[in-house]
Amino acid sequence: MTTAAADPADEPAAPPHPEQDGTGEKPRRARGEQTRQLILETALRLFRERGFTETTMRAIAKEAGVAVGNAYYYFDSKEHLIQGFYDRNQLAHRVAAEPVLANEKDFAARLRGVLHAGIDVNEPYHSFAATFFKSAAEPSSPLSPFSRESSPAREAAIAIFRDVVDGSSAKLDPELRKELPELLWLSWMGVVLFWVYDRSPDQRRTRRLIDGIVPLVDRLVGLSRLRVLRPALRQVLALIDSIRRD
């Protein structure tokens, strides 16, 4: 990412690392990552306190104690800050889901644990989620989970659901196994949309939704191996593939 608005030299120089040849390259890189995370954390806090629309890059820079140019050096816009949030959010989701993925083999238990872990990770940001979702819902927005800009976070999310499938003891139709991770991610997007507008205490309705749909998904996955249903399954998968290619 590059812009003409900032110069990383605005930051104080890091002292040479004793294991370096005096260039201090590794400490500077670490210091730059610290600054990037500081700006991101500050932005997320201000989004919660003031709302996404009302928070400006100038306000974020001032609150973080960095020059406006430096804020733009690390993030081209508020939208890129949200992309940074998406990326970090997926890493946090992976960490939160790791215990269930490591210890459960049952497909339903793995899926339920991963979905609840996702809600746990997102919970601190519920207060402003609806604000930036209005922008994310716009098809041309870079905040859209289907946008090119969101592809790293999207692929990371699909990879979590691929682990749900591949590490389970479920017996799946081979073609469904290939497509199921992305279908589960699409279902997760539906759960997130429900969660965004869930005003029940601690979003309890979203938790009940997860607990209700997982057994249904588990049953449908199990039925996929029935010979009588294979023609219908092939039609559904072919339709999904044609829509993706169009």
Side-chain angles (χ1 to χ4, degrees):
M1 179 186 307
T2 59
T3 68
D7 183 352
D10 288 344
E11 295 184 8
H17 192 282
E19 297 179 0
Q20 299 290 325
D21 59 2
T23 65
E25 181 63 28
K26 185 179 293 186
R28 277 198 294 271
R29 189 179 302 119
R31 191 176 186 87
E33 181 59 24
Q34 289 175 355
T35 301
R36 185 180 187 278
Q37 290 302 318
L38 171 63
I39 294 168
L40 179 57
E41 292 288 349
T42 302
L44 293 176
R45 176 170 59 81
L46 293 181
F47 292 159
R48 290 195 299 269
E49 295 173 357
R50 306 179 185 180
F52 177 72
T53 304
E54 291 74 18
T55 302
T56 65
M57 287 292 284
R58 183 172 296 278
I60 293 167
K62 180 179 180 181
E63 192 75 12
V66 302
V68 176
N70 268 5
Y72 278 108
Y73 175 78
Y74 290 102
F75 299 97
D76 289 344
S77 65
K78 287 196 300 181
E79 286 73 18
H80 283 85
L81 277 161
I82 294 299
Q83 292 298 336
F85 165 68
Y86 286 167
D87 294 340
R88 195 189 65 170
N89 185 270
Q90 289 310 317
L91 289 173
H93 191 180
R94 164 69 66 179
V95 171
E98 197 56 42
V100 71
L101 293 176
N103 296 303
E104 290 284 356
K105 290 297 182 183
D106 178 71
F107 172 76
R110 290 169 72 84
L111 179 58
R112 184 183 298 108
V114 164
L115 294 177
H116 278 295
I119 297 300
D120 292 339
V121 166
N122 280 288
E123 191 278 332
Y125 309 102
H126 186 265
S127 61
F128 77 92
T131 304
F132 75 76
F133 184 80
K134 293 176 182 177
S135 298
E138 171 61 41
S140 62
S141 171
L143 298 185
S144 167
F146 303 97
S147 71
R148 178 183 58 81
E149 292 86 352
S150 296
S151 59
R154 181 171 63 250
E155 292 304 318
I158 293 173
I160 294 175
F161 290 106
R162 186 172 294 113
D163 285 351
V164 169
V165 175
D166 291 346
S168 77
S169 58
K171 306 299 182 183
L172 301 176
D173 176 272
E175 290 192 30
L176 178 60
R177 177 179 290 275
K178 182 174 64 174
E179 301 292 343
L180 188 55
E182 187 169 353
L183 294 175
L184 292 176
W185 173 75
L186 289 170
S187 300
W188 168 237
M189 290 294 95
V191 171
V192 170
L193 176 59
F194 186 91
W195 169 81
V196 165
Y197 293 104
D198 183 1
R199 293 294 181 263
S200 62
D202 300 318
Q203 292 73 60
R204 287 199 297 262
R205 291 195 304 159
T206 302
R207 303 285 187 175
R208 288 202 300 272
L209 176 66
I210 290 172
D211 291 338
I213 64 173
V214 166
L216 297 176
V217 173
D218 185 41
R219 183 164 176 78
L220 289 172
V221 166
L223 291 174
S224 72
R225 288 181 59 83
L226 294 180
R227 183 171 300 176
V228 68
L229 295 179
R230 285 181 184 174
L233 175 63
R234 296 294 184 273
Q235 286 183 315
V236 171
L237 295 178
L239 175 60
I240 293 171
D241 186 61
S242 67
I243 292 173
R244 182 189 293 128
R245 292 172 181 271
D246 193 353

